[in-house]
Amino acid sequence: MAHRLQIRLLTWDVKDTLIRLRHPLGEEYATKARAHGLEVEPSALEQGFRQAYRAQSHSFPNYGLSQGLTSRQWWLDVVLQTFHLAGVQDAQAVAPIAEQLYDDFSRPCTWQVLDGAEDTLKECRSRGLRLSVISNFDQRLEGILGGLGLREHFDFVLTSEAAGWPKPDPRIFQEALRLAHMEPVVTAHVGDNYLCDYQGPRAVGMHSFLVVDPQALDPVVRDSVPKEHILPSLAHLLPALDCLEGSSPGL
């Protein structure tokens, strides 16, 4: 006789799932630049950052740890290149701005908890679910979550820097399962990125949910994901879990 599936562990993405920057990145960068006597358009910095981040991630994956970089140096290089792409050629002038931005982005006050996040985490724990984090983030995440009052909800926080592999690499999900002493079939992951947070965990046998506006998804992606796995807000998570547990034949 088949047993009813019961999810026992929820793993969570963090950025843009539970927390986000309090101000747009371009504005943050422009404000710090202005304090150092540089006037740069926020839109130029936003565009420059996207290009710099993409290039740095391609050349030095997962903060370049396997190539001898530290995550701090990786980020400082991204900021320097961001300003360069935005038209600031004086790297010496940008260096102290980069240092300040790295420190500022370590501070909880730079971030804000998304609506419904804390209530959802509390409701999950009241159901007896274990919670943990799997995030493509660096060593600053523990302090940020602690300062925002969210760290207490999680058994552990596994970052890509600590694990050595970024999502969607299956090894980071397997490491989380090892730390939690859980089988993938009783574990579900929650996040906002299709490749990292939906496909990645499913590749190791976990369940997964996307927290995203369905209309914001690429139509091809949207059509490939069952509607019950797409959560327009975190308030939809527990009903989606009920649906998953009720419709699955289980173990």
Side-chain angles (χ1 to χ4, degrees):
M1 179 179 177
H3 298 285
R4 183 176 184 271
L5 171 67
Q6 183 178 12
I7 297 298
R8 298 174 59 195
L9 171 69
L10 282 181
T11 62
W12 291 81
D13 172 55
V14 173
K15 185 178 179 294
D16 297 323
T17 298
L18 296 173
I19 69 174
R20 69 180 174 202
L21 289 172
R22 192 169 293 276
H23 304 291
L25 183 138
E27 291 182 13
E28 289 278 1
Y29 277 40
T31 298
K32 297 303 180 294
R34 195 173 301 117
H36 286 78
L38 288 177
E39 286 291 337
V40 191
E41 284 295 320
S43 58
L45 289 165
E46 190 86 41
Q47 182 177 352
F49 174 82
R50 287 196 296 268
Q51 295 175 6
Y53 182 86
R54 190 181 306 116
Q56 185 83 333
S57 297
H58 178 74
S59 299
F60 303 98
N62 199 29
Y63 308 115
L65 300 176
S66 65
Q67 295 150 286
L69 289 180
T70 64
S71 57
R72 182 185 184 98
Q73 186 57 57
W74 192 93
W75 278 114
L76 295 178
D77 290 345
V78 168
V79 177
L80 290 172
Q81 187 61 15
T82 295
F83 276 87
H84 179 79
L85 291 168
V88 180
Q89 308 303 317
D90 187 351
Q92 190 171 355
V94 175
I97 301 172
E99 293 280 356
Q100 184 177 356
L101 282 167
Y102 181 87
D103 291 340
D104 285 349
F105 277 61
S106 305
R107 298 189 175 99
C109 61
T110 302
W111 302 84
Q112 65 182 14
V113 179
L114 288 170
D115 289 344
E118 189 158 21
D119 287 344
T120 299
L121 294 174
K122 288 178 179 177
E123 290 170 8
C124 288
R125 292 186 70 198
S126 72
R127 280 195 175 200
L129 287 162
R130 292 177 58 191
L131 310 178
S132 63
V133 164
I134 305 176
S135 176
N136 286 354
F137 217 105
D138 57 57
Q139 59 189 351
R140 297 174 291 178
L141 185 57
E142 287 264 8
I144 292 168
L145 290 174
L148 292 172
L150 299 183
R151 177 61 183 88
E152 65 188 41
H153 297 296
F154 302 109
D155 290 1
F156 60 86
V157 173
L158 182 62
T159 64
S160 58
E161 178 173 14
W165 314 286
K167 298 179 298 185
D169 192 306
R171 289 173 292 185
I172 192 171
F173 296 103
Q174 290 163 346
E175 176 63 7
L177 293 169
R178 186 190 70 79
L179 290 171
H181 305 288
M182 287 287 178
E183 293 297 321
V185 72
V186 295
T187 306
H189 183 73
V190 184
D192 71 310
N193 183 279
Y194 174 67
L195 290 176
C196 292
D197 299 313
Y198 188 76
Q199 285 197 322
R202 286 182 174 267
V204 300
M206 295 167 60
H207 305 276
S208 57
F209 296 99
L210 273 178
V211 186
V212 63
D213 177 359
Q215 300 308 311
L217 282 173
D218 179 282
V220 175
V221 171
R222 186 171 63 242
D223 292 343
S224 72
V225 179
K227 291 181 180 179
E228 59 269 25
H229 297 168
I230 300 175
L231 313 179
S233 72
L234 287 174
H236 293 78
L237 174 62
L238 292 179
L241 276 177
D242 289 338
C243 180
L244 174 65
E245 292 179 336
S247 64
S248 174
L251 301 176

